[in-house]
Amino acid sequence: RRVLFRSAVIYIDEVETLAIATKKKVSGDSPARYKKDLQTYLNSLTAKDPILVVGCTREPWNADEKELKSIFDRYLYCPFPNYSTLLMLWKHFIAQALKYKKTPDYNFDLSALAHVSVGYTAGSIAEAVKNTLTARRIERLDKRPLAEDEFLTPLSQCPRTYADDNMKFRIFTERITGLNATRNALKAASGDGE
């Protein structure tokens, strides 16, 4: 008899540790030892089960693509924010931290923060704002206006993705989703018609 599930979301962070690309023997404390159990559990689910399994990774190129494809059937690539998005993120998180009551001094340059924060995620920006705009700092805004450089130290302590890693993400996404093969097939088809 089948047990009815309630709606659930199973979140697996650093999923590349489950789908390890090497053929070495897995140590006893490695997350990869759960791969077989996870696969068994996922195979027991049906389309009617209200369960969503989400995996997140920072280094998908370290995982075995075949293993990832056996665990997940859809892939979503979330690109890093561009300049205009970073500008909006800084504005939103600062306004949110100030409870939308106080606005930064008109000399405050959000554009500089947006340029400096290229390669950082929205979560990193939110963390930098949270660590900068403490309750005490907000109380002292009247005495000492907010300056851009106050955000730099907390931001530098957040993880950053560099351009070469960003390119690795794009290449991996094209491979795992089949976008590369589709693009090549379209190029070949358009070349045949000319």
Side-chain angles (χ1 to χ4, degrees):
R1 194 177 129 178
R2 188 154 174 83
V3 177
L4 296 177
F5 293 105
R6 291 184 179 248
S7 297
V9 175
I10 300 171
Y11 176 77
I12 306 168
D13 199 6
E14 297 180 12
V15 76
E16 73 273 7
T17 59
L18 270 177
I20 218 147
T22 61
K23 299 294 181 194
K24 292 187 244 176
K25 185 161 173 70
V26 177
S27 66
D29 60 345
S30 170
R33 71 180 187 269
Y34 297 111
K35 181 171 47 176
K36 194 173 191 178
D37 294 333
L38 177 65
Q39 195 61 50
T40 303
Y41 176 74
L42 292 175
N43 290 340
S44 71
L45 295 175
T46 65
K48 292 183 181 183
D49 292 328
I51 295 176
L52 175 67
V53 179
V54 178
C56 188
T57 178
R58 288 185 187 193
E59 300 173 339
W61 49 86
N62 289 340
D64 183 20
E65 290 177 30
K66 190 174 181 181
E67 292 292 332
L68 283 178
K69 285 182 178 184
S70 72
I71 297 171
F72 302 102
D73 55 345
R74 291 202 172 90
Y75 307 94
L76 177 65
Y77 170 69
C78 300
F80 289 94
N82 59 13
Y83 170 78
S84 59
T85 306
L86 289 167
L87 197 61
M88 289 189 301
L89 287 170
W90 279 108
K91 190 174 188 175
H92 169 74
F93 289 130
I94 290 172
Q96 189 178 40
L98 298 174
K99 308 278 191 268
Y100 298 98
K101 294 178 184 171
K102 299 179 180 181
T103 56
D105 191 276
Y106 65 90
N107 291 328
F108 189 75
D109 189 12
L110 286 174
S111 173
L113 286 175
H115 279 293
V116 168
S117 58
V118 170
Y120 288 96
T121 63
S124 295
I125 294 169
E127 189 69 22
V129 170
K130 183 181 114 187
N131 291 339
T132 302
L133 293 176
T134 60
R136 177 157 168 72
R137 181 63 183 101
I138 292 171
E139 287 174 10
R140 299 187 50 90
L141 281 176
D142 295 334
K143 295 180 175 110
R144 193 181 73 170
L146 199 55
E148 301 87 354
D149 62 346
E150 294 180 63
F151 294 97
L152 297 182
T153 300
L155 184 66
S156 68
Q157 295 168 350
C158 295
R160 182 179 197 279
T161 300
Y162 295 96
D164 57 337
D165 284 341
N166 194 14
M167 187 53 67
K168 285 181 186 177
F169 274 114
R170 289 174 186 243
I171 291 168
F172 174 81
T173 303
E174 288 175 358
R175 265 197 339 255
I176 195 125
T177 59
L179 183 63
N180 229 6
T182 305
R183 186 180 298 132
N184 291 339
L186 287 172
K187 281 182 183 177
S190 67
D192 292 340
E194 294 181 346

